Amino acid sequence: MPHTAAVETEGRPIVTVDVALFTLLPEEGLAIVLGTRDREPFAGRPALFGGFLRPGSDGSATDAAHRLLAEKAGLADVFVEQLMTFSGPDRDPRGWSVSIAYYALVPFGRLAEARPGLAVWPVGRMPPLAFDHDRIAAAALARLGGKASYSTLPAFLLPKTFTLPELKAVYEAVLGTALNDSAFRRKVMEMRILEEVPEKRGATAGVRRPAQLWRLAADRLVEFDRTV
């Protein structure tokens, strides 16, 4: 009978899911939403929303990401997408660990419904985070900025309905650059990613005409064959 190597069972890695949650501050632009570690290691330190994967109840790592956002941030039905995996012996003082990392987007208005105590930091002033969450947050920001140029991703930072100036502003905030008004409008109309909403937003003090409202034509992420 051929020899069969024993399966390694000792020193199994810690497996967690961590979520970098972003929003758009009305005056300060793109921001990250953080929790606070309530236990060691790193008790009291700001951190991404994360926790252990639960094989008995989580159908997938994505299910775990949604569960953690609901449990720790009080948020459901927000955009979530897998980022990448982080692993190694030095990530967690408790032992060799693997983190399946995600990023998520939430409109700022939704945070009022969320769990009290959430901290919102402009991405340029983010404090040092627990574990290697700084590295995860940086990778999520890079993914967000790169993917924003060829998809509807920034729109998930807005409420369900929005004006075209609001949509342009959120693209500018994520991309970090100004966009030409007429060129932006022409491109989004040509790509047919929006549908008109029957209602309009009222004029301010009678100075302007009511603003046309729009929503995404698809409730899922749509990628383009060109950049905005």
Side-chain angles (χ1 to χ4, degrees):
M1 179 180 295
H3 174 73
T4 302
V7 176
E8 177 65 54
T9 58
E10 295 182 1
R12 289 177 177 172
I14 299 164
V15 182
T16 63
V17 170
D18 294 297
V19 186
L21 176 64
F22 296 101
T23 191
L24 193 70
L25 282 171
E27 301 297 328
E28 299 192 70
L30 192 62
I32 190 165
V33 187
L34 300 171
T36 302
R37 289 281 300 171
D38 61 359
R39 67 191 68 181
E40 296 293 349
F42 304 109
R45 286 274 294 274
L48 303 181
F49 300 104
F52 295 114
L53 190 67
R54 297 177 181 171
S57 57
D58 293 328
S60 66
T62 302
D63 288 344
H66 284 285
R67 171 180 59 79
L68 288 163
L69 285 174
E71 291 177 354
K72 299 196 172 187
L75 291 166
D77 190 28
V78 297
F79 176 88
V80 175
E81 186 170 74
Q82 190 172 128
L83 175 63
M84 59 188 293
T85 298
F86 295 79
S87 63
D90 302 319
R91 297 187 59 253
D92 190 322
R94 294 169 294 188
W96 211 102
S97 67
V98 175
S99 171
I100 306 167
Y102 288 77
Y103 66 101
L105 307 179
V106 62
F108 182 71
R110 290 280 308 279
L111 293 180
E113 311 163 12
R115 190 175 304 281
L118 301 181
V120 184
W121 291 81
V123 294
R125 302 204 305 271
M126 185 172 59
L129 305 182
F131 302 103
D132 62 347
H133 288 186
D134 301 275
R135 184 178 166 217
I136 297 174
L141 274 170
R143 175 72 60 83
L144 180 56
K147 203 163 186 174
S149 66
Y150 63 88
S151 75
T152 55
L153 188 59
F156 291 92
L157 289 164
L158 292 172
K160 294 293 185 183
T161 62
F162 45 80
T163 66
L164 282 179
E166 289 169 343
L167 182 65
K168 175 174 170 284
V170 77
Y171 269 91
E172 290 176 331
V174 175
L175 293 171
T177 188
L179 300 172
N180 178 272
D181 284 342
S182 58
F184 179 80
R185 181 185 181 94
R186 183 180 68 254
K187 285 181 179 179
V188 296
M189 292 304 170
E190 287 174 352
M191 291 185 286
R192 302 181 184 277
I193 59 173
L194 303 178
E195 59 184 24
E196 196 171 295
V197 176
E199 299 82 11
K200 290 182 170 59
R201 187 176 297 163
T204 303
V207 175
R208 301 182 307 173
R209 292 181 300 173
Q212 177 62 55
L213 293 176
W214 303 84
R215 63 187 168 213
L216 291 176
D219 59 4
R220 55 180 175 80
L221 182 72
V222 174
E223 296 183 0
F224 316 142
D225 58 2
R226 70 183 87 172
T227 58
V228 294

